[in-house]
Amino acid sequence: MRRGWFLPITTALGFGFLYGPILSLVIFSFNENRLVTVWSGFSLKWYGELFRDPQMLSAAWLSLQIAAVSATIALVLGTLCAVALVRFKKFRGRTALAGMSSAPLVMPDVITGLSLLLLFVAMESLLGWPRGRGSLTITIAHATFCLAYVCVVVQSRLVDLDLSLEEAAMDLGATPVRVFFDITLPIIAPALISGWLLAFTLSLDDLVIASFVSGPGSSTLPMVIFSKIRLGVSPDVNALATIIIGVVSLGVIAATLLQMRRPATKQGRG
Amino acid sequence: MSIHGPALHPGPVEPEKAASRREDAPPPPRPWTMIERGLAAVGLSGKALVIFAPALWLTLFFLVPLAVVLQISFSIKEFGRPPYSDMLSFAEDGTVQMTLHLSNYMRLFQDSLYVSAYFSSIRIALISTLIALLIGYPMAYAIARAPDRWRNILLMLVILPFWTSFLLRVYALSTFMRGNGVINNFLGLFGIPPIQMMQTDFAVYVGIVYTYLPFMILPLYTTLVKLDGALLEASADLGARPWRTFVSITLPLSMPGIIAGSMLVFIPAIGEFVIPSLLGGPGTLMIGRVLWDEFFANTNWPRAAAVAIAMLVVVVVPIMLMQRAQSAVVERR
């Protein structure tokens, strides 16, 4: 293949486009000036401001809790769903389950949020549950749409799985539940971890669905950030973004290094 | 092929073996036996539970809500809690009366706001997808052709923004394009007057491409990296110019990636709310934003429900049918 100038330059520009705004956000989080785009000197004061903001801190804590719980629910139900779809070829309602588990992926957030809110309101007036809206309803909503993502991730791993291992275990007299916990689960563990992380991130990131189904007094972090951004620039949001980007970068870099090392260790063993 | 499991179970045990086994401590109860006993106690097989649990959850929190939306789209706004009219009313003589209001749907067709919002959503999503494809394709191609040690790093750089907050990235872009933002400050160094970028449709295009570019690059990369280099060499040996090779070999073979990537950008873009509301101007009509305003600003829940149902019929169902047709084609291969 001819090595021209076109590809390297487009790629460099593309990455510049992806990272330019993020870098400027990080740089200006250390800016002393209130104007986010005028540099006047190095300062950590916005970080101090961020950690003294009770609204921001409680919203962050609420978001982390909701993300952890809803990702765990989504992991359990999504894995069951994937097992049902991949392993049980024929059962009544299989098409319906397949449709219901993939439809949330293409559903716009506004529809998901509105429909769940209307459901919760109707349930409250019919059954008296859930009483009001808040972290519980947000958790249910997040678990529902994250379930679909977990299901896709686990499904693709299950499809590739070598069936002979499970068959061997069955032949040796293991019951299906034991086979699942002893054989299947350890093999699909990487998919479960990435599914959970994906669900956790999606929940932590969601603004639209949470805005519909939350109630007074339960604002998640994206909701607080959104209202701050709408009012104009706020340098403490820059500080928060820098922290999040730092944590995520460390995680992604660690995961990439692990992935790059794994094939090497395999070769070493073989 | 499987050998029958039960045949391998220990049959009647010989006396001396049984004696030696008795000396062993009884095995501690394992979690799976406890799970199995628990399931059997409530009369459920494992298989039924595996299917039942997610099916019940999805029915309750995905299917039923859509039915509720459909129902409420036929009511009208009323003051009270909840702020919509009842569909069923009980008359004094014991009869039940069902009232379906079609006014919300009539309004969708009569008020040009809604129709043009649907069209402009589709237009904005299509144009942004096309731009993302034009930027993402060369990037994916370059990553696929990069030397091994570079490839993982470049891929990581593509994936990394996806894990950071979507909202914060839109915010980053808005500070970048602001009137006194980085771009305009940079242009100012050359004496170029500031350009109004924020609160325009242009900013919305940039925003969608910016946030969803990784979704375009990844599937393109997966198809391009599998591309057989021998085909390209053969084409070159037969005298085809690079451009010709690209059009007649690379492009058709990477079609699955193009389709997958385009869908991954187009689908979230069309119902987008955050990007038009933070980057777009008051004139940027997108249907997700219209629904949001109908609900939050006008508190007209039935109208919002009708907008959602129309969105489902016009946008979501065609996308699902397309995806199904596409996966059917893939499975047939």
Side-chain angles (χ1 to χ4, degrees):
Chain A
M1 191 64 204
R2 189 178 60 101
R3 295 210 172 271
W5 51 268
F6 176 71
L7 281 181
I9 287 186
T10 338
T11 310
L13 283 178
F15 278 114
F17 172 57
L18 278 180
Y19 281 90
I22 295 179
L23 279 182
S24 98
L25 194 72
V26 170
I27 291 169
F28 281 104
S29 78
F30 299 108
N31 185 10
E32 199 207 341
N33 203 315
R34 168 154 277 283
L35 290 171
V36 190
T37 46
V38 180
W39 183 262
S40 64
F42 181 85
S43 157
L44 287 174
K45 74 174 180 188
W46 302 116
Y47 289 85
E49 196 135 302
L50 179 70
F51 285 107
R52 278 192 302 273
D53 184 346
Q55 194 197 12
M56 204 75 131
L57 289 181
S58 66
W61 177 232
L62 181 73
S63 278
L64 286 173
Q65 283 173 303
I66 289 176
V69 175
S70 58
T72 309
I73 298 174
L75 178 69
V76 173
L77 291 173
T79 307
L80 289 180
C81 191
V83 170
L85 290 176
V86 174
R87 281 304 143 81
F88 309 145
K89 287 296 171 220
K90 271 188 183 149
F91 58 87
R92 267 172 60 190
R94 188 181 184 279
T95 325
L97 187 63
M100 280 196 297
S101 65
S102 62
L105 299 174
V106 298
M107 196 61 72
D109 285 351
V110 280
I111 297 185
T112 309
L114 177 74
S115 66
L116 277 163
L117 171 85
L118 294 179
L119 173 84
F120 292 138
V121 170
M123 277 171 76
E124 194 187 6
S125 65
L126 281 176
L127 310 170
W129 185 90
R131 189 151 297 177
R133 287 171 297 284
S135 49
L136 174 72
T137 49
I138 303 175
T139 308
I140 293 175
H142 283 184
T144 308
F145 87 91
C146 292
L147 188 168
Y149 286 90
V150 174
C151 185
V152 171
V153 172
V154 177
Q155 241 179 317
S156 63
R157 184 83 185 99
L158 274 176
V159 167
D160 293 339
L161 192 83
D162 189 0
L163 271 179
S164 57
L165 282 172
E166 293 184 358
E167 277 171 9
M170 297 260 208
D171 290 347
L172 292 171
T175 57
V177 175
R178 177 166 178 189
V179 171
F180 180 75
F181 281 97
D182 261 12
I183 310 280
T184 318
L185 214 54
I187 298 180
I188 62 171
L192 298 186
I193 294 171
S194 48
W196 190 88
L197 282 174
L198 181 64
F200 185 82
T201 315
L202 288 170
S203 164
L204 210 56
D205 212 16
D206 166 65
L207 166 76
V208 174
I209 296 173
S211 302
F212 274 99
V213 298
S214 88
S218 57
S219 294
T220 61
L221 190 59
M223 289 163 70
V224 173
I225 296 174
F226 184 69
S227 62
K228 274 193 178 245
I229 298 175
R230 261 203 165 167
L231 292 176
V233 286
S234 46
D236 49 341
V237 174
N238 283 34
L240 177 74
T242 304
I243 294 172
I244 292 179
I245 290 166
V247 171
V248 169
S249 307
L250 285 179
V252 172
I253 290 170
T256 311
L257 288 179
L258 274 177
Q259 235 173 12
M260 283 165 81
R261 268 179 52 189
R262 200 177 293 149
T265 50
K266 256 186 201 162
Q267 280 169 358
R269 264 187 229 146
Chain B
M1 277 299 283
S2 72
I3 313 160
H4 294 293
L8 288 171
H9 271 300
V13 189
E14 286 164 45
E16 63 265 30
K17 275 191 180 168
S20 72
R21 179 168 291 181
R22 218 168 288 142
E23 285 161 22
D24 298 335
R30 295 290 186 81
W32 50 84
T33 46
M34 285 163 70
I35 291 172
E36 254 160 25
R37 274 183 210 150
L39 287 180
V42 283
L44 271 175
S45 72
K47 180 179 171 180
L49 190 80
V50 166
I51 299 170
F52 190 65
L56 180 71
W57 183 283
L58 284 170
T59 307
L60 190 55
F61 295 120
F62 181 73
L63 216 55
V64 174
L66 292 180
V68 177
V69 173
L70 184 65
Q71 185 214 321
I72 289 173
S73 72
F74 288 113
S75 63
I76 48 171
K77 179 181 174 176
E78 265 180 11
F79 292 99
R81 290 182 64 142
Y84 50 83
S85 63
D86 284 332
M87 191 191 223
L88 300 175
S89 52
F90 300 93
E92 276 175 13
D93 57 348
T95 55
V96 181
Q97 200 180 0
M98 193 166 104
T99 326
L100 291 182
H101 295 274
L102 290 174
S103 58
N104 294 310
Y105 289 100
M106 306 283 282
R107 190 65 188 271
L108 290 193
F109 288 107
Q110 284 161 355
D111 194 332
S112 64
L113 169 86
Y114 300 101
V115 178
S116 52
Y118 283 107
F119 276 116
S120 104
S121 295
I122 294 172
R123 191 195 73 226
I124 290 176
L126 271 180
I127 293 176
S128 319
T129 307
L130 196 66
I131 301 172
L133 180 62
L134 290 178
I135 299 176
Y137 200 102
M139 287 179 77
Y141 194 93
I143 297 171
R145 292 276 162 275
D148 280 345
R149 60 203 162 81
W150 276 98
R151 200 184 300 158
N152 279 324
I153 295 169
L154 290 175
L155 265 186
M156 184 196 79
L157 285 176
V158 172
I159 296 168
L160 205 150
F162 163 75
W163 291 98
T164 62
S165 165
F166 160 77
L167 187 58
L168 289 174
R169 289 204 296 137
V170 176
Y171 169 67
L173 196 62
S174 80
T175 61
F176 214 60
M177 296 197 295
R178 214 169 277 279
N180 56 356
V182 175
I183 293 180
N184 276 325
N185 285 351
F186 179 75
L187 292 179
L189 295 178
F190 303 98
I192 301 170
I195 304 169
Q196 162 84 29
M197 283 176 287
M198 286 291 287
Q199 295 176 350
T200 60
D201 283 6
F202 170 75
V204 176
Y205 295 135
V206 176
I208 293 174
V209 174
Y210 179 67
T211 43
Y212 296 115
L213 190 58
F215 292 102
M216 178 63 89
I217 295 178
L218 289 178
L220 281 173
Y221 164 79
T222 356
T223 52
L224 285 172
V225 82
K226 282 187 289 195
L227 196 72
D228 191 354
L231 288 174
L232 305 181
E233 277 170 30
S235 167
D237 289 348
L238 292 171
R241 291 173 174 276
W243 176 246
R244 174 85 198 276
T245 304
F246 176 76
V247 169
S248 54
I249 295 183
T250 313
L251 201 59
L253 284 177
S254 58
M255 220 34 163
I258 294 178
I259 294 172
S262 303
M263 296 287 269
L264 285 179
V265 177
F266 182 80
I267 291 169
I270 199 153
E272 190 54 60
F273 161 74
V274 174
I275 295 173
S277 74
L278 285 181
L279 302 178
T284 310
L285 270 182
M286 285 193 80
I287 198 63
R289 199 181 176 189
V290 169
L291 194 157
W292 177 285
D293 288 341
E294 208 64 81
F295 182 86
F296 286 101
N298 305 344
T299 57
N300 193 337
W301 294 15
R303 180 81 48 78
V307 171
I309 293 294
M311 200 169 165
L312 217 54
V313 172
V314 177
V315 178
V316 181
V317 172
I319 287 173
M320 288 179 71
L321 291 178
M322 247 174 83
Q323 276 191 328
R324 176 165 260 193
Q326 196 199 334
S327 64
V329 169
V330 172
E331 271 169 28
R332 220 176 291 145
R333 278 179 191 164

